[in-house]
Amino acid sequence: SRAMGSTLQFYFLGKKCDILQDMNRHLEAVLKEKKALKKMLIKPRCQDSLPIEATCHKYIVELLIEAVTFIEKLESHLQTVRILPQVPNIMKNMDTVLAKTEMLVIELEELADQILKWRELHKRVYSD
């Protein structure tokens, strides 16, 4: 059992060592390519046209449509957020307009009553 445990420990240590060596080789390769990487990072990517496999074209088109939809919705949401601080003033203005409308309705009803009375009066005058 003890021999089995130490064998497993050596196995896992060996695995860790292999992983570290792989990482070390990768980092060495990155350092060797440092100049090329710097050039790639500085150069604007929009000037490159990256080849896209034909099988992916459909997905790229769908992705672009989704991106456009997202941007349109984002614009709409941003406008809503910009309006939010003004909502109390808008509500106050709506209350004022509603009160004025109610006053106009009352005045209109009074005017309609006066017209009906005037009409009745003229009917009597003409019938006499």
Side-chain angles (χ1 to χ4, degrees):
S1 151
R2 186 177 276 185
M4 179 71 168
S6 61
T7 306
L8 276 174
Q9 275 182 325
F10 281 120
Y11 172 77
F12 285 118
L13 280 173
K15 277 284 184 198
K16 282 183 181 177
C17 190
D18 289 344
I19 291 167
L20 286 171
Q21 282 177 340
D22 282 345
M23 286 175 67
N24 193 32
R25 279 192 289 272
H26 176 70
L27 289 172
E28 282 176 358
V30 167
L31 285 172
K32 282 180 187 172
E33 296 293 320
K34 197 165 85 170
K35 279 186 183 177
L37 283 170
K38 267 188 181 177
K39 272 187 186 176
M40 284 172 62
L41 288 170
I42 291 167
K43 185 179 172 191
R45 300 302 298 161
C46 59
Q47 291 176 1
D48 294 348
S49 59
L50 299 173
I52 297 167
E53 290 180 27
T55 52
C56 297
H57 286 189
K58 180 182 131 186
Y59 302 111
I60 296 299
V61 169
E62 286 174 5
L63 183 66
L64 286 172
I65 292 166
E66 289 293 324
V68 169
T69 307
F70 171 78
I71 290 166
E72 286 171 354
K73 285 184 179 176
L74 180 67
E75 192 62 37
S76 166
H77 292 320
L78 287 174
Q79 283 176 352
T80 305
V81 168
R82 282 188 211 111
I83 288 170
L84 283 177
Q86 300 167 19
V87 167
N89 284 338
I90 292 168
M91 293 299 289
K92 198 185 291 181
N93 291 343
M94 283 175 69
D95 286 342
T96 307
V97 168
L98 185 62
K100 285 181 181 176
T101 305
E102 286 172 351
M103 285 300 296
L104 286 171
V105 167
I106 292 167
E107 287 175 12
L108 190 62
E109 286 172 351
E110 287 173 358
L111 186 60
D113 284 344
Q114 286 177 4
I115 289 169
L116 287 172
K117 285 176 187 172
W118 181 80
R119 195 171 157 197
E120 285 297 317
L121 184 68
H122 274 275
K123 273 186 183 175
R124 278 193 223 130
V125 169
Y126 284 118
S127 64
D128 290 347

